[in-house]
Amino acid sequence: MAKRQELGSAPPDSFPQAMPRHRHATVALVSLTFVAAGIVLFRHANAAPTMLGAPAGAPAVEPTFTPAIQANPHATFHTSMGTFVAEIFVDSMPLTASNFLDLARNGFYDGLHFHRVIPGFMDQFGCPFTRDPLSPRAGTGGPPPGSTFVNLATGESIRRNADGTIPDEHTARISNAPGTLSMANTGRKDSGGSQFFINVGQNAFLDWFSPGRSQHPVFGKVVQGYDLIVRISKVPTQADRPLEPITVQSIVIT
């Protein structure tokens, strides 16, 4: 049986970990037009600068990568219980944030259900098997193995591994505070994929830079509708699974 992805713990056995499987935004073309002495320069994001009317033999200009997103995007979650909005930290956690944004933009999360909620601790979401809210495999799935996405900060293409997971991004020291979005994993290295949790408690013991086995990097924070996150955590459950399925109908990235 595939190992479930869960978190650190409310008690020790409640860590948000994702189980591996065996587990619009508009990209703006930025045009800056400079007119000087009849010379017009057009610069487009992700393209080498091209100068019209440059003298013969002028040295070539090295191409530079311009990030597709100039400010942190926001994800609006439309759920069966209401709507909340989260800022996604492309600036400080580009790899993990880009992984989430790729999945959200491609509809991966649409129709999935929260499969594990614990009051005072966290709400966990993102397993593809939860399209069936009663699936016994809930918590064990992830993105397609070998699928790719673009790191929006660097332009690098990242390939998910054979389990559909990504490299751990242990860079920015952002704590698992209430309202933060954090990657679930199995407790093993590089085992995060699509599953994540939203903290409803001060869970610093889950920080990747804290002592202990739990290492869950934060990649976003709820900026609107946190009261809904708390309400979700308090719904009646059986074995932490909501008795009344809570659906994420869509996630809109702006």
Side-chain angles (χ1 to χ4, degrees):
M1 178 178 178
K3 186 175 179 182
R4 190 172 309 272
Q5 288 187 334
E6 300 177 345
L7 311 174
S9 71
D13 59 352
S14 302
F15 291 88
Q17 300 178 345
M19 317 170 208
R21 264 179 326 180
H22 307 275
R23 136 85 244 131
H24 301 229
T26 301
V27 176
L29 287 180
V30 182
S31 297
L32 300 178
T33 305
F34 297 93
V35 180
I39 297 177
V40 182
L41 171 65
F42 295 95
R43 174 168 296 176
H44 298 285
N46 302 331
T50 301
M51 183 172 291
L52 303 183
V61 179
E62 291 296 323
T64 57
F65 175 76
T66 301
I69 296 178
Q70 302 294 338
N72 281 338
H74 288 73
T76 301
F77 291 71
H78 297 281
T79 83
S80 55
M81 285 184 62
T83 299
F84 66 92
V85 180
E87 178 184 357
I88 307 302
F89 299 155
V90 174
D91 58 349
S92 54
M93 293 292 289
L95 189 149
T96 309
S98 296
N99 172 68
F100 166 80
L101 291 168
D102 171 74
L103 295 171
R105 286 170 173 150
N106 284 290
F108 179 91
Y109 293 118
D110 298 357
L112 303 187
H113 297 83
F114 283 91
H115 65 273
R116 187 164 178 257
V117 302
I118 302 175
F121 186 34
M122 61 89 215
D123 304 337
Q124 189 167 346
F125 172 77
C127 174
F129 295 127
T130 65
R131 196 166 301 280
D132 171 5
L134 300 179
S135 173
R137 302 178 71 185
T140 66
S147 55
T148 62
F149 63 97
V150 173
N151 183 323
L152 296 173
T154 66
E156 177 186 7
S157 179
I158 307 296
R159 183 175 298 277
R160 300 179 180 99
N161 68 17
D163 292 322
T165 62
I166 65 173
D168 294 329
E169 189 173 25
H170 293 166
T171 53
R173 291 176 172 252
I174 308 171
S175 188
N176 282 267
T180 54
L181 281 63
S182 189
M183 285 295 287
N185 57 49
T186 64
R188 298 197 304 267
K189 178 180 172 61
D190 301 338
S191 60
S194 60
Q195 295 184 51
F196 61 93
F197 56 95
I198 306 173
N199 289 290
V200 293
Q202 180 60 57
N203 297 322
F205 68 98
L206 299 178
D207 298 343
W208 65 265
F209 49 90
S210 68
R213 67 185 180 92
S214 294
Q215 298 190 337
H216 300 277
V218 169
F219 65 94
K221 184 173 184 177
V222 174
V223 294
Q224 182 178 325
Y226 177 68
D227 59 320
L228 174 59
I229 305 304
V230 174
R231 284 196 288 117
I232 290 174
S233 73
K234 295 179 178 180
V235 300
T237 62
Q238 182 175 16
D240 298 333
R241 188 200 303 255
L243 293 177
E244 182 72 26
I246 305 169
T247 313
V248 171
Q249 299 149 338
S250 66
I251 301 176
V252 178
I253 307 300
T254 55

